[in-house]
């Protein structure tokens, strides 16, 4: 197949904070040096920001390094945090509010901002375009180009292919975007980043990466219940009932809106757990419900979170490129924040790649990035919090919380804890675990999956190849169903996977790929590691407003 070829100095995959920060800094450095540099960024969403989902409370530290005058430029950081509350939910009705002095220092949010990270990304996209970055939304990075052992760019996805893989009338082949260096900034569990880490053995000597699934809703609430700038976090019920861990958040944004969500660690062991249903019942707790009553749900979404921290952080460079942000795993889970560290990894990448291009280099390994990143405040922050996740996994919410309070507030521990069990390997057989009877949604505070997917504005082109690939189509029924009651039915927050019984009484594993919100949970949690998420046709998936 003859493909169009375009050549750039740098190609960036992903229009989130890390990728856009890399693009902006490259152009800034070129301008300062009086040098031309061509930068192209591809984004699989219909627009920059369409697939971005995060809490989000962010620090402006990296943003201020990139754009010291961000306020004058109109960055949408409009709601400074005015109050922090942390709760432990002891039952469906009761809770304990944590005294301020007992909260680990990283969880304090003074000086931070409640934002829509989608809107922050949209704004960063505008800055990037103003600096001369070529941005192509609606284009997927389907493959990377490897030649002579080095990455030399990407191939964008073909458009107009039917479900059988045959070209339709409107078929358009993907393009080769070749570059001196390629930056992978796809976000958590990027499908190319995952392969690069494996192919170049970037995770050698590291703990296996750990993940959570974050499920979030945006609400318009009664102005009488709104407290702009208030940040709530909490743990305990309902996850504690099923032996799971994680925590909830509720942030009071502008315009009488709140965002509410639940992060469920994907290290849970009971295959009957449904993170979606845990979230729906969590909203009925009085601590949360008091704000949502008489409100209206506006949007819904879900996204996996790379939360392993420093112990799981792979080597980030390889011949011809670098992997940055949540594609690598730079989130600081002790802070429940990753935007500032993701952006910083992008800034460091831009600075080192620009030096290499200035020196006439191309497609080699920019090892200087590792030295520079390890000298940065982002790496120091991750090192300081390296024990947070392993402590919670090893010791549970109470003892893990006590350990982290001492480690973060009093005396830093002189040793490093490790968690070496991958999240997919933690499930126990269904027969050994208690079934969970989740309450039916009431349509006011709690809702059904498919109703939720509808307001996530999820859309995929009709008649295209399924982007959820099974290595062995027999495994869901022959292995996963008898052993784990096929947990894909429950860990997916969008109703993509179903066990369907035919009229003849036979069972069939059905994939409703049109529902997919691109959270990647199936790629992470499937106990047989039989599901691989790849990019669907460009612009497919959710279209998140204000998320």
């Amino acid at each position: 197949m003859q493909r169009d070829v375009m050549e750039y100095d740098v190609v960036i995959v992903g229009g989130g904070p890390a990728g856009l920060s890399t693009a902006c800094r490259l152009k800034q450095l070129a301008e300062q040096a009086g040098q031309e540099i061509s930068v192209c960024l591809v984004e699989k969403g219909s627009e920059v920001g369409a697939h971005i989902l995060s809490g989000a409370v962010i620090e402006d530290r990296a943003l201020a390094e990139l754009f010291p005058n961000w306020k004058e430029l109109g960055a949408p950081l409009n709601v400074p945090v005015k109050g922090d509350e942390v709760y432990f939910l002891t039952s469906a009705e009761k809770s304990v509010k944590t005294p301020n002095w007992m909260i680990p220092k990283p969880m304090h949010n003074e000086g931070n901002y409640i934002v829509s990270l989608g809107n922050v990304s949209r704004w960063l996209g505008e800055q990037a375009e103003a600096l001369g970055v070529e941005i192509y939304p609606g284009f997927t990075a389907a493959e990377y180009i490897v030649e002579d052992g080095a990455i030399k760019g990407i191939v964008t996805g073909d458009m107009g292919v039917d479900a059988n893989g045959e070209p339709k009338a409107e078929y358009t082949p993907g393009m080769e975007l070749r570059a001196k260096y390629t930056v992978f900034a796809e976000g958590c569990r990027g499908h190319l980043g995952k392969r690069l880490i494996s192919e170049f053995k970037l995770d050698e000597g590291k703990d296996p990466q750990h993940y959570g699934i974050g499920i979030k809703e945006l609400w318009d609430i009664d102005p009488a219940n709104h407290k702009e700038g208030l940040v709530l976090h909490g743990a305990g019920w309902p996850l504690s009932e099923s032996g799971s861990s994680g925590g909830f958040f509720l942030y009071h944004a502008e315009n009488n809106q709140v965002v509410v969500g639940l992060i469920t660690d994907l290290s849970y062991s009971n295959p009957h757990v449904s993170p979606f249903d845990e979230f729906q019942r969590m909203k009925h707790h009085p601590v949360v419900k008091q704000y949502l009553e008489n409100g209206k749900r506006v949007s819904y979404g879900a996204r996996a979170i790379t939360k392993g921290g420093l112990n799981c952080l792979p080597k980030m460079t390889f011949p011809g490129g670098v992997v940055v942000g949540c594609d690598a795993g730079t989130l600081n889970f002790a802070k429940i924040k990753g935007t500032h560290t993701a952006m910083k990894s992008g800034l460091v990448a831009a600075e080192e790649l620009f030096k290499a291009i200035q020196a006439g280099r191309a497609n080699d390994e920019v090892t200087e990035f590792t030295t520079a990143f390890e000298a940065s405040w982002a790496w120091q922050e991750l090192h300081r919090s390296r024990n947070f996740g392993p402590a919670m996994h090893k010791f549970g919410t109470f003892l893990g919380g006590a350990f982290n309070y001492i480690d973060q507030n009093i005396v830093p521990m002189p040793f490093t804890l490790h968690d070496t069990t991958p999240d997919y390997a933690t499930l126990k057989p269904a027969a050994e675990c208690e079934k969970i009877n989740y309450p039916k949604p009431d349509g006011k505070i709690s809702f059904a999956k498919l109703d939720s997917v509808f307001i996530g504005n999820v859309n995929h082109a009709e008649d295209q190849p399924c982007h959820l690939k099974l290595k062995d189509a027999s495994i869901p029924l022959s292995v996963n169903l008898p052993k784990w009651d096929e947990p894909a039915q429950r860990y997916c927050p969008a109703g993509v996977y179903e066990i369907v019984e035919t009229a003849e009484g036979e069972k069939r594993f059905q994939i409703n790929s049109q529902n997919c919100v691109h959270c990647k949970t199936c790629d992470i949690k499937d106990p047989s590691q039989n599901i691989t998420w790849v990019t669907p046709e460009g612009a497919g998936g959710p279209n998140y407003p204000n998320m």
Side-chain angles (χ1 to χ4, degrees):
M1 181 191 301
Q2 198 67 33
R3 297 185 184 275
D4 289 339
V5 178
M6 299 174 71
E7 297 199 2
Y8 295 91
D9 290 310
V10 180
V11 166
I12 299 168
V13 181
L20 288 164
S21 296
T22 309
C24 290
R25 177 50 60 90
L26 280 165
K27 281 295 193 178
Q28 288 176 340
L29 293 167
E31 191 176 292
Q32 290 164 17
Q35 182 177 336
E36 280 294 317
I37 185 170
S38 55
V39 180
C40 169
L41 183 147
V42 294
E43 162 55 40
K44 66 183 174 67
S46 59
E47 63 168 348
V48 169
H51 288 179
I52 299 293
L53 183 84
S54 183
V57 172
I58 69 169
E59 295 184 14
D60 67 345
R61 187 172 184 178
L63 179 62
E65 289 182 11
L66 181 59
F67 293 110
N69 60 335
W70 61 262
K71 287 184 180 178
E72 290 78 9
L73 291 171
L77 281 69
N78 303 323
V79 181
V81 174
K82 295 174 184 171
D84 254 325
E85 295 180 3
V86 177
Y87 292 86
F88 187 80
L89 308 185
T90 55
S91 71
E93 295 292 330
K94 295 181 179 178
S95 64
V96 176
K97 186 176 180 181
T98 307
N100 193 267
W101 63 268
M102 285 184 66
I103 301 170
K105 286 177 184 175
M107 290 186 67
H108 287 264
N109 285 292
E110 299 89 351
N112 296 333
Y113 295 84
I114 298 170
V115 301
S116 155
L117 197 60
N119 289 341
V120 171
S121 296
R122 290 178 177 94
W123 178 86
L124 282 169
E126 292 168 5
Q127 308 314 304
E129 287 190 316
L131 287 163
V133 177
E134 292 183 32
I135 296 181
Y136 296 111
F139 284 81
T140 62
E143 275 291 346
Y144 48 72
I145 301 167
V146 186
E147 293 172 355
D148 305 318
I151 301 298
K152 295 195 174 177
I154 62 159
V155 179
T156 65
D158 296 346
M159 306 284 274
V161 178
D162 70 19
N164 297 316
E166 297 297 321
K168 295 187 281 191
E170 66 272 24
Y171 173 73
T172 307
M175 298 179 294
E176 286 189 16
L177 302 180
R178 290 183 168 265
K180 294 173 181 174
Y181 296 104
T182 308
V183 178
F184 295 85
E186 305 162 284
C188 174
R189 195 73 166 191
H191 85 115
L192 296 182
K194 169 189 166 184
R195 285 172 48 198
L196 285 163
I197 289 168
S198 174
E199 184 171 339
F200 288 94
K201 297 181 171 57
L202 304 180
D203 57 353
E204 210 166 56
K206 303 289 186 176
D207 290 356
Q209 188 57 263
H210 296 287
Y211 301 90
I213 176 174
I215 303 176
K216 173 185 171 180
E217 294 173 350
L218 174 68
W219 283 67
D220 289 332
I221 65 166
D222 185 336
N225 295 336
H226 190 248
K227 299 178 181 178
E228 186 175 295
L230 177 62
V231 166
L232 276 74
H233 287 116
W237 186 89
L239 294 176
S240 56
E241 270 191 11
S242 58
S244 311
S245 59
F248 77 86
F249 60 89
L250 190 149
Y251 306 148
H252 289 252
E254 55 198 320
N255 301 322
N256 294 316
Q257 290 192 318
V258 297
V259 293
V260 58
L262 180 70
I263 298 170
T264 303
D265 294 340
L266 288 177
S267 56
Y268 66 81
S269 60
N270 184 340
H272 301 297
V273 165
S274 164
F276 174 87
D277 293 298
E278 296 285 349
F279 172 48
Q280 295 305 317
R281 67 173 176 167
M282 181 278 295
K283 289 183 293 174
H284 284 276
H285 195 283
V287 166
V288 176
K289 187 179 178 181
Q290 62 178 316
Y291 298 110
L292 303 182
E293 272 188 310
N294 303 317
K296 180 187 177 185
R297 192 173 66 146
V298 176
S299 188
Y300 165 87
R303 188 70 173 94
I305 299 163
T306 318
K307 68 179 195 65
L310 189 71
N311 302 344
C312 309
L313 191 68
K315 182 184 174 194
M316 296 163 71
T317 62
F318 42 87
V322 61
V323 57
V324 296
C326 290
D327 213 353
T330 56
L331 180 138
N332 180 353
F333 201 63
K335 285 187 172 183
I336 327 176
K337 292 178 185 61
T339 303
H340 63 302
T341 45
M343 290 179 70
K344 182 61 176 176
S345 71
L347 299 183
V348 174
E351 287 155 8
E352 297 309 319
L353 293 176
F354 183 72
K355 290 176 193 172
I357 292 167
Q358 270 191 316
R361 294 161 56 185
N363 305 115
D364 61 342
E365 185 166 355
V366 184
T367 56
E368 298 90 338
F369 168 86
T370 301
T371 305
F373 188 63
E374 288 181 359
S376 74
W377 54 259
W379 191 90
Q380 291 162 11
E381 189 177 296
L382 293 176
H383 184 266
R384 182 73 183 78
S385 299
R386 69 195 183 282
N387 286 327
F388 193 92
M392 299 301 283
H393 284 191
K394 281 179 177 290
F395 307 137
T397 303
F398 278 118
L399 291 177
F403 177 96
N404 284 320
Y405 176 80
I406 295 167
D407 188 33
Q408 298 295 322
N409 288 33
I410 302 173
V411 181
M413 298 297 176
F415 52 82
T416 300
L417 296 175
H418 293 276
D419 184 352
T420 57
T421 304
D423 292 335
Y424 69 82
T426 58
L427 285 182
K428 295 177 180 176
E432 295 177 13
C433 299
E434 189 176 342
K435 282 199 170 183
I436 303 170
N437 294 314
Y438 291 106
K440 287 186 177 179
D442 67 357
K444 296 176 181 177
I445 300 293
S446 49
F447 303 90
K449 271 186 188 177
L450 295 186
D451 295 335
S452 301
V453 171
F454 178 76
I455 63 166
N457 301 309
V458 181
N459 183 56
H460 293 88
E462 294 293 328
D463 190 25
Q464 64 168 296
C466 179
H467 65 280
L468 300 158
K469 308 293 185 184
L470 300 181
K471 295 174 188 172
D472 183 339
S474 71
I475 281 179
L477 296 181
S478 66
V479 179
N480 286 4
L481 185 60
K483 187 168 184 180
W484 296 291
D485 193 24
E486 186 42 274
Q489 302 174 89
R490 293 171 295 281
Y491 60 59
C492 173
V496 169
Y497 302 101
E498 289 183 279
I499 300 292
V500 177
E501 196 160 324
T502 66
E504 295 77 31
E506 292 185 357
K507 290 181 178 176
R508 178 168 55 87
F509 186 63
Q510 181 167 300
I511 301 177
N512 306 309
S513 59
Q514 70 276 10
N515 290 0
C516 180
V517 294
H518 299 195
C519 75
K520 317 286 181 68
T521 303
C522 55
D523 195 297
I524 296 163
K525 189 61 176 172
D526 176 49
S528 297
Q529 289 294 276
N530 188 47
I531 301 173
T532 300
W533 190 100
V534 300
T535 51
E537 193 167 292
N543 282 280
Y544 292 136
N546 275 357
M547 291 284 269

